[in-house]
Amino acid sequence: HRDLHSFPTRRSSDLLFVIALAGLLNSCQRNDVVGLYSGFQDPPAEARPFVRWWWNGNRITENEIRRQIEVLHSAGIGGVEINPIAFPEWSDSLGIPSLTWLSPEWNRLLALASEEAGKRGMITDLIVGSGWPFGGEFINVDESVQRVITNSIKYNGGDRIKETSGTLLQKALESQSRAAEGEAFSNELFFIRLVPEMVGEMFLVKDLLPLIDSDGNLDYTIPAGSYELVYGILQKGHRHVMHGAPGAAGPVMDHYRRNVTLAYLNRLKKISEDTGIPLHKLIRALFCDSIELAGANWTDSFEEIFLKTYGYDLKAWFPFIFYESYRGYEKDKFTEAFADQVKRVRYDYNKLLVRVFLDNFTQTFQDFCTENGLLCRYQAYGTPFLMGMMEGNMIPDIPESNNWIYSVDMETDEWIWNQDHGYMIWNLYAASGGHLTGRKIISCEAMTNTRGVFKTSLEEIKRHDDMNFITGINHTILHGYNYSPVEAGFPGWIRYGAYFSEQNTWWPYFRKWTDYNSRLSYIFQNSKPVKNIAIVGPTGDIWSERGLIRVPFHKEPWYCYRLWEPLSQSGSSCDYIDEKIITDANKQKGLMKYGPVSYQALILCNVRSMEPQTAEAVSEYVESGGKVVIIGSVPVRSLSYMNAEANDNTVKNIFDDLPDEYPDRVFRVDEPENQEELLSWTEGILGKLKIDKDLEIDEPCKDLFQIRNTDGERDIWFIVNSNRSETIKINAEFPTGNKTPWIWNPEDGSRK
């Protein structure tokens, strides 16, 4: 046993967190040990924090690029992500002209920036396009993003519908919870149906589209009964680039079509054509920011793809599958049997939407990077939709998350985060995707801040970044460093950020944090994470009942995406996975193995519905000796529309039998009642599972977090006291046998 202390302080430069490595043995001068420690003392550029370097308005010059690169290098920054963005309208341009994205002069200065960074051993990444998402003035109607927006109007028997295409469009736009994020190229009446209240059969739904005359007028008298007129408008080009710089502003492209994605990416080859330098010699990685497509939910040929995939026609279900992108599916008035059918069709629709997106955008983006000798850095989360949190993070070379500050009270002693926003969930899925695919680097757009620009202290930067490490992040991309010439004075050209600037009063001490951060990053990038437990949330149920919007995903059930906290506090660890990992994993001797990761237990959080092949895989896992905890609801039904009855029986029969057949391996547990009891409730689950822990802690504490990695025979722990003022004293037992413990201090690179 060993007492581990964290030191109370309000000055982040004094705050010491302990990293204990057991297993260096007495022969600590072996080459591999020396190499690990050497990198810890003096981390390479890829382990050092990067900055998002906003090229405000592309008002860039040679001398200023050189000056800013030197400022960043002196501060311990390892690389830059060049990010052209619109000029802040409140700033004085000083008469410096804007360059156009991918113009010969812009490309020349990009090459200059890369050369200047390279001279200092720094790395250059490049965002694709400008601002977010991918788009530009050159995107035409046929390449533009698409969505179907819907509206419903109540009618009773005898009422008369007198509408035009124009009035229907206006009412649909007014019904949206958010204003349009760009003027659409076109608006077309996509479908219009009269749906009886408490509808129970599809034949009762009447198609009114054939009744609209050539001038777009609809005149129709409602038959007896209560109805809703449900209609959809197909919009093209409804989303424009946010803060686009000259040359890459304008409409957003259709991310669901491979040819459009490739056409956009191929524009980047002009950089090499103009400079004579291969793209991979200039930049390490192309970067894609968060997926924010304003509810894009359709593309050309989607109806045909759906029919080919599932074997039934989607058109009849149009009134029931689309949803307002920030609200999700709302309570419907259907018979019970019809409501069940609708849920299944909605699942098929949303699942295919994600699949088409991942194939035609995410995988295509990764393939382009690979073919051109580049790495792919990609953020799989977004708004309003989450387009495949698990698989999306398994595709790119560098999965990336996003950590926010000032989304919660920053003055509390206890570290807290905003579950509505969900940024720690994005961390965990990015980390899980990286763990399962063996990625070396899992990065995070860190300290994202759109308010309180002048509030952020080094203490808070350190505090929040330590928790990024705890969730599995191992590289920090700071948000951000504003391109701002000396002549702009204080505060300069500012778009966003925590004011990472040489004009900040704490800048002289900033190097202390960058060194600390990079030592930890180096260790985590060059070791293997240990994760004992796989957690699955009710993603299929949410897609069926709420859609792809992100807030239900983060919050339903509330405890699912808080479990990583008490597990870490109790000395254990977890990844969040999806059904595909369960089906594809190798199950043997009580372990679920996927890639380099082996899980000792599986937790299902209120999963009411499941694919039949997943249920069969869970059964196989249990039969091999695996342990499963079922929290709340037990899976009793399948998800998809076709062959529903047979698939339901498969799922139900498996989960009816498993707890009885394997009472020592399958455990039913009630949901925790509240946040206050979550830690003790989690300890109860670990007591049932009786699996190996990373660390035995005698009295788990809500402020103390830990993670464990391995490097060959060596074991590594990172232990954090997240409280900003309270000291924690614990007794901890490390499961390392006779190995020799070393403490490596990431503050100064020393060890003892």
Side-chain angles (χ1 to χ4, degrees):
H1 288 74
R2 182 178 184 87
D3 287 343
L4 295 178
H5 301 266
S6 63
F7 300 88
T9 179
R10 288 190 178 274
R11 296 183 300 160
S12 76
S13 60
D14 291 341
L15 190 57
L16 172 65
F17 289 106
V18 176
I19 180 168
L21 287 87
L24 300 187
L25 306 174
N26 292 324
S27 57
C28 62
Q29 295 305 310
R30 292 179 310 174
N31 288 336
D32 57 342
V33 178
V34 171
L36 190 69
Y37 182 58
S38 175
F40 176 77
Q41 287 182 301
D42 185 18
E46 69 176 356
R48 290 194 161 274
F50 286 19
V51 294
R52 174 172 292 183
W53 190 13
W54 283 299
W55 281 11
N56 283 305
N58 283 332
R59 299 179 187 274
I60 50 178
T61 63
E62 285 190 19
N63 290 339
E64 190 57 32
I65 285 173
R66 291 191 176 97
R67 184 192 75 82
Q68 293 186 27
I69 288 282
E70 180 56 34
V71 166
L72 292 169
H73 178 251
S74 298
I77 295 298
V80 294
E81 171 207 305
I82 292 174
N83 196 311
I85 198 165
F87 190 74
E89 56 271 19
W90 50 84
S91 299
D92 182 354
S93 70
L94 305 174
I96 300 172
S98 285
L99 300 181
T100 300
W101 179 66
L102 297 186
S103 67
E105 181 62 7
W106 190 91
N107 291 339
R108 185 182 73 82
L109 291 182
L110 170 67
L112 173 73
S114 176
E115 179 185 359
E116 291 297 318
K119 286 178 183 177
R120 296 162 176 82
M122 297 171 67
I123 295 167
T124 303
D125 287 355
L126 176 67
I127 194 173
V128 178
S130 169
W132 70 91
F134 295 6
E137 299 91 334
F138 45 83
I139 296 294
N140 61 43
V141 63
D142 294 328
E143 299 173 309
S144 65
V145 66
Q146 301 181 37
R147 72 172 176 179
V148 177
I149 61 171
T150 61
N151 188 34
S152 62
I153 305 170
K154 293 183 182 298
Y155 287 99
N156 293 311
D159 292 345
R160 186 177 179 187
I161 303 174
K162 286 186 68 69
E163 298 281 1
T164 68
S165 298
T167 61
L168 289 171
L169 170 62
Q170 187 59 36
K171 289 177 180 179
L173 292 173
E174 290 172 355
S175 74
Q176 302 300 297
S177 62
R178 298 198 182 191
E181 296 172 271
E183 186 175 347
F185 277 124
S186 64
N187 296 282
E188 172 192 345
L189 186 60
F190 193 55
F191 70 89
I192 181 166
R193 311 276 171 82
L194 193 64
V195 180
E197 191 176 60
M198 292 302 294
V199 63
E201 298 286 347
M202 187 64 76
F203 75 87
L204 298 173
V205 178
K206 183 174 179 59
D207 185 1
L208 300 186
L209 197 59
L211 303 182
I212 296 179
D213 66 23
S214 58
D215 295 323
N217 299 310
L218 174 64
D219 191 341
Y220 180 78
T221 301
I222 302 294
S226 297
Y227 297 84
E228 279 193 320
L229 182 71
V230 182
Y231 64 94
I233 306 290
L234 176 63
Q235 296 188 303
K236 295 186 177 182
H238 66 277
R239 175 69 154 113
H240 286 209
V241 175
M242 180 65 73
H243 301 317
V252 167
M253 70 170 213
D254 186 348
H255 287 53
Y256 293 100
R257 291 162 60 197
R258 184 175 183 273
N259 64 321
V260 175
T261 301
L262 275 177
Y264 195 97
L265 293 169
N266 279 323
R267 289 179 172 88
L268 297 174
K269 294 180 178 179
K270 190 172 186 299
I271 297 170
S272 296
E273 294 170 4
D274 287 349
T275 62
I277 305 171
L279 201 54
H280 70 272
K281 296 287 187 182
L282 294 173
I283 60 175
R284 176 194 70 156
L286 291 177
F287 171 61
C288 173
D289 210 336
S290 56
I291 309 305
E292 303 185 21
L293 304 180
N297 59 9
W298 197 254
T299 190
D300 294 349
S301 303
F302 188 84
E303 202 175 331
E304 290 81 359
I305 297 169
F306 188 94
L307 179 61
K308 183 177 180 181
T309 303
Y310 295 114
Y312 68 98
D313 191 358
L314 186 62
K315 183 176 292 185
W317 300 94
F318 280 177
F320 313 113
I321 62 167
F322 299 110
Y323 48 97
E324 209 281 343
S325 56
Y326 289 93
R327 291 181 183 140
Y329 294 121
E330 300 186 46
K331 189 172 179 61
D332 298 303
K333 295 180 179 179
F334 306 142
T335 65
E336 184 177 351
F338 191 71
D340 183 74
Q341 293 180 43
V342 168
K343 285 180 184 178
R344 296 175 188 277
V345 177
R346 287 173 173 175
Y347 173 77
D348 289 343
Y349 163 71
N350 285 301
K351 182 181 180 181
L352 186 62
L353 204 63
V354 169
R355 180 77 268 145
V356 170
F357 178 88
L358 293 177
D359 288 346
N360 293 325
F361 178 72
T362 311
Q363 189 63 57
T364 301
F365 179 37
Q366 172 63 62
D367 292 345
F368 176 87
C369 291
T370 301
E371 291 164 8
N372 288 277
L374 304 162
L375 296 180
C376 173
R377 250 182 67 218
Y378 174 82
Q379 296 182 350
Y381 70 92
T383 184
F385 293 168
L386 296 175
M387 302 302 293
M389 287 293 287
M390 183 75 265
E391 291 185 77
N393 278 303
M394 294 177 69
I395 292 171
D397 296 309
I398 304 176
E400 179 162 306
S401 181
N402 186 349
N403 139 268
W404 280 66
I405 52 178
Y406 297 108
S407 65
V408 291
D409 180 4
M410 296 280 283
E411 300 303 317
T412 60
D413 285 342
E414 181 185 1
W415 178 82
I416 55 176
W417 61 284
N418 182 351
Q419 192 174 357
D420 278 330
H421 195 277
Y423 47 93
M424 302 308 285
I425 310 306
W426 310 336
N427 276 13
L428 291 155
Y429 271 99
S432 296
H435 297 161
L436 290 161
T437 51
R439 302 304 192 210
K440 178 180 181 180
I441 298 175
I442 303 165
S443 59
C444 181
E445 175 189 328
M447 310 307 135
T448 300
N449 182 20
T450 56
R451 53 193 173 187
V453 171
F454 298 100
K455 295 179 181 179
T456 316
S457 67
L458 281 175
E459 174 189 36
E460 289 300 346
I461 290 166
K462 179 192 180 301
R463 190 186 192 202
H464 283 261
D465 210 48
D466 281 340
M467 293 308 297
N468 285 341
F469 287 129
I470 288 292
T471 55
I473 299 300
N474 63 27
H475 193 224
T476 300
I477 315 287
L478 292 169
H479 182 278
Y481 182 78
N482 287 275
Y483 179 101
S484 184
V486 173
E487 296 80 12
F490 177 86
W493 297 348
I494 296 179
R495 167 61 64 185
Y496 294 127
Y499 202 58
F500 292 99
S501 168
E502 63 273 26
Q503 299 186 76
N504 198 309
T505 53
W506 46 247
W507 193 259
Y509 314 100
F510 183 55
R511 179 75 190 235
K512 293 181 180 293
W513 175 79
T514 60
D515 288 347
Y516 167 89
N517 166 279
S518 57
R519 290 188 180 106
L520 291 173
S521 288
Y522 178 79
I523 292 294
F524 299 136
Q525 288 178 11
N526 291 280
S527 58
K528 178 183 174 181
V530 175
K531 299 296 171 185
N532 299 323
I533 297 171
I535 300 176
V536 175
T539 299
D541 289 307
I542 288 173
W543 287 1
S544 301
E545 298 167 12
R546 301 297 299 277
L548 299 174
I549 60 173
R550 78 184 192 194
V551 172
F553 185 90
H554 297 157
K555 302 258 313 189
E556 296 179 9
W558 71 268
Y559 63 86
C560 179
Y561 293 111
R562 306 295 309 215
L563 266 178
W564 65 273
E565 297 172 81
L567 285 172
S568 176
Q569 293 156 359
S570 299
S572 193
S573 56
C574 67
D575 273 335
Y576 286 84
I577 67 169
D578 66 4
E579 292 192 33
K580 191 174 188 301
I581 303 303
I582 299 174
T583 58
D584 292 352
N586 182 21
K587 299 98 176 168
Q588 59 181 1
K589 297 181 180 179
L591 297 177
M592 184 183 297
K593 296 184 176 182
Y594 190 103
V597 185
S598 294
Y599 302 114
Q600 298 179 42
L602 171 67
I603 296 179
L604 304 178
C605 297
N606 206 35
V607 178
R608 302 179 299 282
S609 309
M610 182 180 283
E611 298 278 14
Q613 58 268 33
T614 308
E616 291 167 347
V618 172
S619 180
E620 178 189 352
Y621 171 57
V622 173
E623 290 168 5
S624 77
K627 297 181 177 180
V628 176
V629 176
I630 302 172
I631 304 173
S633 300
V634 178
V636 294
R637 65 186 291 276
S638 60
L639 288 158
S640 196
Y641 179 72
M642 298 297 284
N643 304 314
E645 184 176 356
N647 291 335
D648 283 357
N649 289 333
T650 298
V651 175
K652 187 176 186 306
N653 291 339
I654 285 173
F655 282 97
D656 279 348
D657 295 341
L658 276 180
D660 295 331
E661 291 182 20
Y662 302 97
D664 59 335
R665 299 181 202 168
V666 180
F667 308 98
R668 290 281 311 279
V669 178
D670 291 335
E671 298 181 5
E673 292 186 4
N674 52 57
Q675 182 75 30
E676 287 67 36
E677 73 168 33
L678 188 58
L679 178 53
S680 60
W681 177 88
T682 303
E683 290 182 85
I685 287 180
L686 292 173
K688 290 177 183 292
L689 287 172
K690 295 182 173 61
I691 60 175
D692 297 334
K693 285 189 176 182
D694 300 325
L695 190 64
E696 286 290 345
I697 302 171
D698 61 347
E699 294 183 14
C701 167
K702 290 183 178 180
D703 292 325
L704 186 134
F705 296 84
Q706 61 78 40
I707 55 172
R708 179 185 181 184
N709 281 35
T710 60
D711 177 38
E713 295 181 354
R714 293 179 291 277
D715 296 282
I716 303 167
W717 282 267
F718 178 53
I719 303 171
V720 168
N721 172 12
S722 63
N723 193 294
R724 65 191 292 165
S725 66
E726 296 296 323
T727 301
I728 298 172
K729 181 177 180 179
I730 63 166
N731 289 317
E733 182 178 348
F734 295 86
T736 56
N738 294 323
K739 294 178 181 178
T740 302
W742 288 75
I743 295 175
W744 290 17
N745 184 348
E747 223 177 86
D748 59 13
S750 65
R751 66 178 179 177
K752 61 182 179 180

